[in-house]
Amino acid sequence: MARREKGGFWVGLAAAAFYPLTAIGKRVYLGAEKIPRQGPAILVMNHISHLDPAVDAVFVHRQKRVPRFFLKASLKDVPVFGRIVTGSGQIPVARGSSAAGDSLKAAHQALEEGKVIVIYPEGTITKDPLGWPKEAYSGAARLALQNDVPVIPIARWGTNKIFNGYTKKFTPLPRKTVTHLVGDPIDLSAYRGGNPRSASMLREVTAVLMDEVTRLLVEIRQEEPPVKKPETDAVSETKAETEKPEDGA
């Protein structure tokens, strides 16, 4: 049996806060054994609710790993929570500043040290009223192409029924089911060896990642997604956008 990855005091404090919070939903974990119990990995997930980071953190922690998320840099200044963010090794994202690229450097370093990175390629929660993934940014693809580590797609569904971030409707009762479905590692061997900074390659790999996540979401929901994905806010093909990391907000 694999040993739990050591997280330290701040990870323990986060777990003490998040485990009771996520108990408001009934959990269903499918394919969780596909998450490596040791070594680096990138977990690529859809984003449907502001509850997702807490719920996903508990999900990964239950697999005996310590998750690292991209979070808004401003969260470091929040009393107590900021200490948890820093102490548990989360990755701050300073959007719109010269330090924005530091988040990807920190993610590369974390993978080199054998850590697990959780990333939401959509950046923010989907704008689709039905909860299907919107157009994604390419930061996840960039991270995956520059690090030869397992890239694992995961779909999660149900948090949006507890808290809808756009209507601000919180409906904890009756208890909702939150399902995580983990897919097989995505084979990116066909893309390795090319230019990992190529805009066309980043777009293609981003599509591959999100298609796998969407396929898993279809399996959970037993519904078909729309033909055209909802657009991400102000998505462009500029260099600034292709280098944009994602956060968990």
Side-chain angles (χ1 to χ4, degrees):
M1 181 179 294
R3 299 176 62 184
R4 176 177 294 281
E5 179 184 351
K6 293 182 179 179
F9 172 78
W10 293 108
V11 171
L13 186 59
F18 289 163
Y19 271 69
L21 172 65
T22 59
I24 60 177
K26 304 174 186 177
R27 66 178 185 273
V28 174
Y29 296 163
L30 303 173
E33 71 280 355
K34 296 176 183 177
I35 296 178
R37 295 306 190 261
Q38 58 184 3
I42 300 170
L43 309 184
V44 181
M45 305 185 71
N46 62 316
H47 200 3
I48 53 177
S49 170
H50 294 299
L51 290 177
D52 292 344
V55 169
D56 297 340
V58 170
F59 167 67
V60 175
H61 194 258
R62 286 184 180 276
Q63 313 318 313
K64 302 183 178 181
R65 299 305 307 267
V66 176
R68 269 75 180 180
F69 290 82
F70 289 98
L71 298 174
K72 292 179 181 178
S74 58
L75 292 176
K76 294 193 301 180
D77 300 324
V78 178
V80 183
F81 185 74
R83 292 294 302 275
I84 294 176
V85 167
T86 303
S88 61
Q90 306 311 306
I91 302 170
V93 178
R95 286 182 171 181
S97 75
S98 59
D102 291 345
S103 58
L104 281 179
K105 293 178 183 177
H108 292 313
Q109 181 65 35
L111 291 172
E112 289 177 4
E113 294 173 356
K115 310 302 184 183
V116 168
I117 300 292
V118 179
I119 191 165
Y120 304 131
E122 298 165 88
T124 57
I125 60 177
T126 180
K127 298 293 193 296
D128 180 34
L130 297 180
W132 292 104
K134 65 180 180 179
E135 290 290 339
Y137 296 107
S138 61
R142 185 180 301 274
L143 196 61
L145 288 173
Q146 294 183 22
N147 296 273
D148 192 2
V149 303
V151 180
I152 301 171
I154 304 175
R156 174 239 313 99
W157 185 247
T159 48
N160 53 320
K161 296 181 180 180
I162 300 172
F163 180 67
N164 186 309
Y166 289 101
T167 65
K168 306 303 181 184
K169 187 175 182 180
F170 180 57
T171 314
L173 298 174
R175 289 181 74 204
K176 315 298 189 298
T177 297
V178 177
T179 301
H180 285 78
L181 176 58
V182 184
D184 294 322
I186 300 173
D187 183 4
L188 296 177
S189 58
Y191 302 96
R192 303 198 185 281
N195 180 4
R197 299 182 182 276
S198 162
S200 60
M201 180 176 290
L202 289 170
R203 286 195 299 270
E204 188 172 348
V205 173
T206 298
V208 169
L209 301 181
M210 291 309 297
D211 284 350
E212 280 299 300
V213 172
T214 302
R215 182 184 63 78
L216 294 170
L217 190 56
V218 167
E219 188 172 338
I220 295 174
R221 297 178 58 174
Q222 293 296 296
E223 299 172 351
E224 289 299 317
V227 175
K228 180 177 173 54
K229 294 181 180 179
E231 292 185 0
T232 285
D233 296 337
V235 168
S236 71
E237 300 302 330
T238 64
K239 183 174 183 290
E241 288 293 65
T242 58
E243 291 186 348
K244 178 180 178 179
E246 296 74 15
D247 63 40

